[in-house]
Amino acid sequence: MIKNEAQPSTPLNDIKVLELGQLIAGPYCGQVLADFGAQVIKVEPPGKGDAMRQWGAADNETGEPLWWNVIGRNKQSLTLDLRQARGQEVLRELAKNADVIIENFRPGTMERWGLSYDVLSQDNPGLVMVRVTGFGQDGPYSTRAGFASVCEAMGGLRYLSGYPDRPPVRVGISIGDTLAGLHAALGTMMALHQRERTGHGQVVDSSIFESVLAMMESLIPEFARAGKVRERSGSFLAGIAPSNAYPARDGRDVIIGANQDTVFARLCQAMGQPSLADHPDYATHRARGEHQQAIDDLVAAWTRQHDAQHVVDILADAGVPAGLVYNAPDMLDDPHFKAREAIVEVSDHHGNPLPMQNVFPRLSRTPGSVRHVGPVLGEHTETILSDWLDLDTNALAALRDDQVI
């Protein structure tokens, strides 16, 4: 089903956002807000736009990169050269009408351009400025370039990813960027809620390294109080068993998570070995952790006797969490994905259906929606400047002639 129509009511349809910067972290925050109805105006350099317009695999038919359609979805594009004094002046005028500004430049950049929060909030005390960077707005590393790969490493994720006998590996997506964008969106909503009470905006500081660090569970106190440094363990978590990838007869792997006592008992029953649940080596969570390899070997011996989907079906009926390792074709073909509309088709700029992940989380009364793919560079420049700043045709032409827009 192709979904392009705007929802009649969305949670953020009264919020105006200016999104500055480029790549993933800041723009993902803008994507989340736009998905739920905010008017997100993507401010891009004239002529080239956000680098994300060129990232990722290209469409087989048109040759156009595809990623921009997702991270730019539901946004409007305005071209504006923020390195020119006139462009900075236009941005200051726009900021008077905005609820939120998202920026992910290095700390100090907005200040050099005369666009600091102190300056912009003078004319708009309710403004919320969301600042997304690698290392935050202060501290000795704040001015360093901070790509996700580096910040994921410093935040603890890279050290734990992979196998203990090999160098750490990278997760296959820029998860640090996305986490920083998600925390930025969460911070935005908190700041807007506080503004409802006080009338005053504030700065939201979302760094990539701290967004990753926030996901590190009990890693810090485990070292500080128990002297334990978590190490890479490959496809399982040390002490959590059985919970791993298990080989099936047809060459596929099945992910099974049966580390809770009652769930483990159901797994043993499904395997035709109910007595294992009472064995002293496996009867408790801690015992299974101490005999992790042995229990994994027992489960793997059973899964190897069956095709992967058959294992999943047996365990689903038994109430044991299990699933296959999905790639994109599996997701597009899965009936649960279809029933939930987890993937939605949207018309691209050529009118052809383009599948992409749907808006999440789900709201029962005022859901978000994917209304359109990422806009053409500068597609809404004149409309926005006319609507927001009341600029006439001559003023717009002068800005264009001076290459400000």
Side-chain angles (χ1 to χ4, degrees):
M1 181 188 303
I2 296 179
K3 297 249 181 134
N4 283 34
E5 304 82 7
Q7 295 288 340
S9 177
T10 49
L12 303 179
N13 58 9
D14 59 339
I15 300 299
K16 294 181 176 180
V17 180
L18 296 173
E19 180 194 297
L20 317 181
Q22 60 178 358
L23 300 178
I24 304 171
Y28 185 75
C29 173
Q31 178 191 324
V32 172
L33 301 179
D35 282 350
F36 288 96
Q39 182 186 12
V40 177
I41 295 172
K42 174 75 177 175
V43 180
E44 305 181 75
K48 58 181 181 179
D50 191 329
M52 290 304 298
R53 291 180 177 275
Q54 307 303 321
W55 279 32
D59 188 302
N60 288 335
E61 294 184 6
T62 67
E64 298 169 357
L66 293 163
W67 196 344
W68 171 251
N69 291 296
V70 180
I71 202 165
R73 71 188 190 187
N74 294 329
K75 302 176 185 179
Q76 297 173 289
S77 174
L78 177 150
T79 51
L80 187 63
D81 188 352
L82 295 178
R83 289 171 172 78
Q84 289 195 47
R86 180 67 177 120
Q88 296 158 9
E89 180 183 338
V90 170
L91 196 284
R92 282 191 287 272
E93 292 299 312
L94 290 169
K96 294 178 182 179
N97 300 291
D99 298 288
V100 179
I101 288 182
I102 304 168
E103 65 93 3
N104 65 335
F105 302 111
R106 285 200 203 185
T109 301
M110 295 288 283
E111 286 74 12
R112 288 196 303 274
W113 290 342
L115 301 173
S116 69
Y117 183 73
D118 289 343
V119 170
L120 299 180
S121 62
Q122 286 180 4
D123 294 318
N124 185 356
L127 181 67
V128 172
M129 178 178 278
V130 183
R131 315 195 73 172
V132 187
T133 57
F135 298 102
Q137 294 299 310
D138 52 26
Y141 303 157
S142 60
T143 57
R144 291 184 181 182
F147 274 22
S149 57
V150 175
C151 295
E152 289 164 14
M154 295 181 68
L157 179 62
R158 185 69 72 97
Y159 188 81
L160 297 177
S161 300
Y163 289 86
D165 59 342
R166 284 166 251 180
V169 300
R170 180 174 185 168
V171 177
I173 55 174
S174 298
I175 189 67
D177 282 327
T178 307
L179 284 174
L182 197 58
H183 281 106
L186 178 62
T188 301
M189 301 316 301
M190 292 176 181
L192 289 173
H193 182 66
Q194 178 67 8
R195 187 182 71 172
E196 289 294 312
R197 301 174 176 176
T198 66
H200 295 289
Q202 58 185 297
V203 174
V204 177
D205 182 352
S206 179
S207 71
I208 300 174
F209 93 94
E210 286 166 308
S211 293
V212 174
L213 178 64
M215 301 293 105
M216 288 296 103
E217 301 175 349
S218 58
L219 181 146
I220 298 297
E222 283 178 1
F223 170 71
R225 300 298 290 272
K228 176 180 174 57
V229 176
R230 286 203 193 183
E231 301 289 348
R232 292 186 293 284
S233 56
S235 61
F236 63 89
L237 292 176
I240 307 297
S243 182
N244 209 332
Y246 300 95
R249 182 172 59 190
D250 56 1
R252 299 193 70 175
D253 287 329
V254 181
I255 305 299
I256 300 174
N259 45 291
Q260 188 179 3
D261 290 351
T262 55
V263 180
F264 178 65
R266 293 198 292 270
L267 172 62
C268 294
Q269 189 72 38
M271 291 166 52
Q273 303 178 64
S275 62
L276 284 177
D278 299 318
H279 192 287
D281 287 350
Y282 313 127
T284 67
H285 172 80
R286 194 168 295 278
R288 288 192 298 276
E290 292 172 354
H291 299 87
Q292 187 159 21
Q293 187 60 59
I295 192 61
D296 273 351
D297 289 344
L298 287 169
V299 176
W302 174 69
T303 58
R304 285 193 182 95
Q305 301 173 38
H306 308 280
D307 289 345
Q309 187 60 57
H310 184 62
V311 172
V312 171
D313 294 341
I314 291 173
L315 297 184
D317 290 340
V320 177
L324 303 177
V325 180
Y326 275 9
N327 56 21
D330 296 321
M331 296 174 190
L332 287 166
D333 193 49
D334 187 275
H336 188 73
F337 279 61
K338 292 177 181 177
R340 292 273 296 175
E341 294 188 346
I343 295 172
V344 64
E345 287 188 341
V346 188
S347 291
D348 66 15
H349 291 295
H350 305 283
N352 298 316
L354 178 68
M356 65 178 67
Q357 58 270 43
N358 208 343
V359 174
F360 195 79
R362 295 166 174 264
L363 276 65
S364 61
R365 295 185 61 187
T366 55
S369 65
V370 183
R371 299 176 296 282
H372 59 79
V373 298
V376 173
L377 179 62
E379 182 177 345
H380 307 94
T381 299
E382 295 189 1
T383 300
I384 293 165
L385 295 179
S386 297
D387 291 348
W388 282 41
L389 304 184
D390 232 6
L391 297 186
D392 59 22
T393 303
N394 291 333
L396 291 170
L399 289 174
R400 200 171 292 282
D401 289 343
D402 291 337
Q403 297 182 328
V404 177
I405 62 175

